Amino acid sequence: MKLLLVAEYRAGTLLNSYKELIDFSSKLQGDTVMFLVGAENDVPQYDGTLYLADVANFKEYDPQVHKQLLLEVIEKEQPDMVVMVHSSYGWDLAPRIAFALKAAQVSEVIDIVDSTFVVPVCNSKLRRTIEVNSEKCVVTLQAGAFGMETESQGMPVITKIQANSTSSIEFVGYEEAEQGGVDLGKANVIVSGGRGIGKPENIGLIIKLATALGGEYGASRPVVDAEWADHNRQVGTTGQTVSPKLYIACGISGAIQHLAGMKKSEFIVAINTDKDAPITEVADISVIADLKQFLPVLTEKIVSL
Amino acid sequence: MKILVCIKQVPDMESKFKIDGPGQWYDTTDLAWRMNEYDEYAVEQSILIKEELGNSDITVLCIGPRRVQETMKKALAMGCDRGVHVEDDSVHQRDPLEISSIIAEFAKGEQFDLIFTGLQSQDRGSGQVGLFVAEILELPSVSTIISFTCEGKEIEVKRELEGGMKAVVRLQAPVLLTCQLGLNKPRYPTLPNIMKAKRKELSVIDVEQLRKVEPICATKSLFVPEKKNSGLILEGEVSELANELIKHLKEKTSFLA
Ligand SMILES: Cc1cc2nc3c(=O)[nH]c(=O)nc-3n(C[C@H](O)[C@H](O)[C@H](O)COP(=O)(O)OP(=O)(O)OC[C@H]3O[C@@H](n4cnc5c(N)ncnc54)[C@H](O)[C@@H]3O)c2cc1C
Ligand SMILES: Nc1ncnc2c1ncn2[C@@H]1O[C@H](COP(=O)(O)O)[C@@H](O)[C@H]1O
């Protein structure tokens, strides 16, 4: 089986996630080649053929241009499978490639069992296995599902590629994340509130517990989107990545994008009414309770210790 | 602007899921249904555009069994003008390309200036349907938008990337855009608007009239993952729970010691 691995380069740097692609391919024991729109002085540690399109000419992500470049390589290499990470790059590029190839696409793969792909369903509460019936297929891997541990090494043999680079989309530039505010990365204890807090006033329950423990408070995305907390409090793939000694998740279901930001915490407590919430899968202790009743009692007891 | 919004009905994610008989989907009895969260942002954005520009018409489309009309009524009550229900009891068995081609088949002659979908559906979460529709219709498309502005046909959107970074992208209508959480603040329908929505046009099309492609991938099985975590689960009365949690934190962490 031949795999084409699509590495990613963003805002002037090669992303490490190419290692997950290599890990995946070594599990499948496939032959590989790699594709990158990037720079010659910043290439993956990989001992195979790297098809490189120079980012100076082809620019950072424009779906139409990157699609043309990738299709050139596919035409030449005829891979059985095109593999990307399920990132803002991968989930955008993958369907365009799949459609052009009349190939099935499987999104957010976390495992392969008996040549079917395993993907999460319903916020990871269920799993689905998918069987592909097209000749080629395009898959995106859930970020973090495959390890970085496979020793990737060596220097790639670079083949430069070109393609038509006209596009009806103009990439104007990047806007950096809002800076300033708290650096949650420094906190020893973080107490985070999720949609389960129910209403904006209840962020007070989260703050009080955080204060009682001498820590900071954080939030999941819906709480930030609703403006119940500032963006610099958000934990997760589109917020901050934290690894405090103690992380207490209150009313947070544990979506993969939230877990990615906190699962390396030393000790995790979940407070949730739903015993099956995915957060309980990473928690050291899960307290099954209504946070509105539980948090005031807990905080009170901690304060009076 | 002539706008199409595609919405999907999904179960409440806090539900207790069971696997159905054939073992290929979840059991749909006893579930509470709602609009896919991402699609609420798509609906809201189309209404905001109409409010700003006037002279617009918003069609909301949903493929699914009869019960999806309840969710469509919410979109109409929020402010969409008309509904198109593509009736399909087998929607959960279709692959993303089939679903997209059904939508594209409906949209192809209609000359929509803007098509909005959600970034992904909460149950299946493939994140494919929107972009496939764009590819079929040969429309430029941008996924994961968290900001939208337009002047005439000139559109500027921001795409959300990891870590809170954004990419600013410009393009010209007609386009397809997939909406990310936080794009706007989806409104709650008011009672008068719920009443008004009852009189809005909701046409029903049989899926066979729009179905043109065969599936290229299929669900083999659906299952509840094994619990791997050996973490403690504490249940009971809140005061005792608090005592227990404090005890464990004292023993297992350096806090409260
Ligand atoms: C590209 C992308 C990037 C994303 N980035 C992030 C990110 O950086 N950070 C992030 O957090 N999310 C992110 N998300 C969103 C993520 O997918 C989830 O939608 C989000 O994390 C859900 O937040 P939540 O757990 O607070 O809400 P929900 O999933 O709605 O969960 C609420 C939880 O509260 C529980 N609950 C309800 N009432 C109570 C009560 N009274 N007491 C106790 N528990 C209660 C429920 O059982 C449930 O488990 C991203 C999504 C995408 C697609
Ligand atoms: N059955 C459906 N009816 C209408 N629109 C849908 C349907 N399924 C998916 N969509 C749209 O496609 C988006 C992405 O879905 P998915 O590819 O399943 O993650 C959703 O947010 C909807 O906007």
Side-chain angles (χ1 to χ4, degrees), chain B residues 4 57-66 68-69 72-73 76 81-88 106 110 112 197-207 209-210:
Chain B
L4 176 67
D57 190 81
I58 310 168
T59 302
V60 58
L61 177 145
C62 183
I63 309 168
R66 188 58 64 85
V68 305
Q69 289 190 7
M72 298 186 72
K73 281 181 192 147
L76 294 173
D81 296 295
R82 65 199 69 252
V84 173
H85 171 206
V86 180
E87 193 166 0
D88 182 6
F106 168 78
E110 296 276 332
F112 291 106
K198 293 195 169 138
R199 292 191 300 274
K200 287 185 179 172
E201 176 188 331
L202 205 173
S203 47
V204 182
I205 305 179
D206 187 89
V207 68
Q209 286 175 21
L210 298 172

Side-chain angles (χ1 to χ4, degrees), chain A residues 10 67 88 92 96 107 122 127-129 131 133 170 172-173 175 221 237 276 280 283-284 286 288, chain B residues 16 123 126 128 135 141 143-144 159-160 162-163 166 168 170 181 216 218-221 223 229 232 234:
Chain A
R10 188 190 310 140
K67 174 172 114 179
S88 59
D92 193 275
R96 305 173 193 276
S107 305
C122 291
R127 301 258 190 283
R128 185 159 76 106
T129 58
E131 184 182 52
N133 300 316
E170 182 195 355
V172 183
E175 210 171 85
R221 179 168 182 144
T237 39
D276 295 328
T280 61
D284 296 286
S286 302
I288 310 305
Chain B
K16 179 133 187 88
D123 57 348
S126 79
Q128 298 173 27
E135 294 297 304
S141 55
S143 71
T144 337
R159 252 200 106 218
E160 186 182 56
E162 286 73 8
K166 296 158 198 161
V168 182
R170 288 199 193 118
L181 309 171
I216 48 177
T219 302
K220 271 211 97 173
S221 67
F223 60 98
N229 184 13
L232 273 180
L234 304 180

Side-chain angles (χ1 to χ4, degrees), chain B residues 23-252:
Chain B
Q24 288 175 334
W25 202 237
Y26 48 79
D27 186 347
T28 53
T29 46
D30 300 331
L31 289 176
W33 298 92
R34 45 166 297 171
M35 195 186 308
N36 182 38
E37 194 179 350
Y38 298 81
D39 304 347
E40 290 182 5
Y41 294 89
V43 170
E44 177 66 26
Q45 195 59 45
S46 64
I47 300 164
L48 289 174
I49 293 167
K50 179 171 178 169
E51 285 173 347
E52 191 188 316
L53 302 180
N55 192 27
S56 300
D57 190 81
I58 310 168
T59 302
V60 58
L61 177 145
C62 183
I63 309 168
R66 188 58 64 85
R67 68 169 138 72
V68 305
Q69 289 190 7
E70 280 315 304
T71 300
M72 298 186 72
K73 281 181 192 147
K74 178 175 178 189
L76 294 173
M78 285 170 78
C80 294
D81 296 295
R82 65 199 69 252
V84 173
H85 171 206
V86 180
E87 193 166 0
D88 182 6
D89 290 337
S90 310
V91 67
H92 60 284
Q93 290 167 342
R94 303 202 188 284
D95 72 15
L97 188 61
E98 279 184 280
I99 294 173
S100 315
S101 87
I102 293 165
I103 296 173
E105 191 61 26
F106 168 78
K108 73 176 183 202
E110 296 276 332
Q111 312 243 309
F112 291 106
D113 301 296
L114 295 171
I115 302 179
F116 287 107
T117 72
L119 167 64
Q120 59 186 26
S121 53
Q122 287 176 284
D123 57 348
R124 197 134 78 160
S126 79
Q128 298 173 27
V129 167
L131 295 177
F132 275 154
V133 171
E135 294 297 304
I136 299 170
L137 297 173
E138 297 180 0
L139 292 176
S141 55
V142 182
S143 71
T144 337
I145 68 161
I146 47 163
S147 142
F148 173 97
T149 51
C150 71
E151 267 195 56
K153 300 244 171 227
E154 301 294 324
I155 293 167
E156 183 174 300
V157 294
K158 290 180 189 160
R159 252 200 106 218
E160 186 182 56
L161 311 175
E162 286 73 8
M165 200 163 72
K166 296 158 198 161
V168 182
V169 177
R170 288 199 193 118
L171 66 175
Q172 270 202 344
V175 298
L176 182 143
L177 303 167
T178 84
C179 302
Q180 164 66 319
L181 309 171
L183 169 63
N184 49 46
K185 298 221 157 46
R187 69 194 66 193
Y188 294 101
T190 60
L191 194 58
N193 286 341
I194 293 173
M195 300 313 287
K196 248 198 258 164
K198 293 195 169 138
R199 292 191 300 274
K200 287 185 179 172
E201 176 188 331
L202 205 173
S203 47
V204 182
I205 305 179
D206 187 89
V207 68
E208 290 306 325
Q209 286 175 21
L210 298 172
R211 203 169 69 83
K212 292 275 143 58
V213 308
E214 295 301 320
I216 48 177
C217 61
T219 302
K220 271 211 97 173
S221 67
L222 193 80
F223 60 98
V224 182
E226 245 175 82
K227 293 234 184 287
K228 291 205 192 98
N229 184 13
S230 54
L232 273 180
I233 305 262
L234 304 180
E235 288 177 280
E237 184 271 322
V238 285
S239 174
E240 268 160 38
L241 279 176
N243 291 337
E244 247 185 287
L245 179 59
I246 289 170
K247 190 184 94 195
H248 286 295
L249 288 179
K250 280 183 177 167
E251 282 169 10
K252 293 176 188 141

Side-chain angles (χ1 to χ4, degrees), chain A residues 24-282:
Chain A
F24 174 81
S25 66
S26 69
K27 291 213 160 77
L28 279 184
Q29 299 178 320
D31 296 330
T32 62
V33 292
M34 201 179 268
F35 167 86
L36 173 70
V37 182
E40 208 165 349
N41 62 4
D42 190 9
V43 294
Q45 291 179 308
Y46 167 67
D47 55 4
T49 301
L50 174 69
Y51 287 93
L52 182 73
D54 192 347
V55 69
N57 295 333
F58 295 102
K59 305 272 166 44
E60 293 204 6
Y61 191 48
D62 173 320
Q64 296 176 19
V65 178
H66 286 215
K67 174 172 114 179
Q68 284 312 319
L69 289 163
L70 187 49
L71 288 176
E72 287 287 320
V73 178
I74 292 170
E75 175 64 33
K76 211 155 136 188
E77 288 286 341
Q78 293 296 327
D80 303 294
M81 197 188 287
V82 181
V83 192
M84 313 186 193
V85 174
H86 196 72
S87 62
S88 59
Y89 186 66
W91 72 61
D92 193 275
L93 186 55
R96 305 173 193 276
I97 297 299
F99 184 74
L101 299 177
K102 299 193 166 47
Q105 185 196 331
V106 184
S107 305
E108 256 201 294
V109 171
I110 56 173
D111 202 359
I112 291 201
V113 178
D114 303 334
S115 57
T116 58
F117 298 99
V118 184
V119 303
V121 176
C122 291
N123 196 15
S124 295
K125 282 186 159 183
L126 302 173
R127 301 258 190 283
R128 185 159 76 106
T129 58
I130 299 177
E131 184 182 52
V132 166
N133 300 316
S134 55
E135 203 181 307
K136 292 183 167 39
C137 69
V138 178
V139 305
T140 61
L141 310 181
Q142 184 180 82
F146 293 87
M148 298 270 201
E149 57 269 12
T150 308
E151 271 306 305
S152 62
Q153 49 192 308
M155 278 294 282
V157 180
I158 294 176
T159 304
K160 293 262 179 95
I161 47 163
Q162 310 280 336
N164 177 346
S165 62
T166 53
S167 174
S168 55
I169 291 178
E170 182 195 355
F171 167 55
V172 183
Y174 291 116
E175 210 171 85
E176 291 298 324
E178 287 167 50
Q179 296 296 325
V182 289
D183 180 0
L184 293 178
K186 292 208 177 78
N188 275 329
V189 184
I190 299 173
V191 182
S192 286
R195 189 172 2 228
I197 67 175
K199 49 183 180 185
E201 303 85 273
N202 287 342
I203 194 80
L205 302 175
I206 307 296
I207 297 174
K208 279 189 194 135
L209 178 59
T211 312
L213 289 165
E216 282 293 348
Y217 73 96
S220 69
R221 179 168 182 144
V223 171
V224 171
D225 284 342
E227 294 177 5
W228 300 351
D230 283 342
H231 182 261
N232 57 48
R233 299 278 169 187
Q234 186 178 313
V235 174
T237 39
T238 46
Q240 298 190 50
T241 302
V242 299
S243 49
K245 293 205 164 71
L246 175 61
Y247 188 90
I248 306 187
C250 311
I252 293 178
S253 63
I256 175 71
Q257 298 88 357
H258 189 81
L259 298 185
M262 47 62 74
K263 68 178 175 209
K264 298 218 171 77
S265 305
E266 268 176 45
F267 199 86
I268 300 172
V269 177
I271 297 164
N272 203 303
T273 41
D274 181 3
K275 207 171 161 175
D276 295 328
I279 189 81
T280 61
E281 268 293 290
V282 300

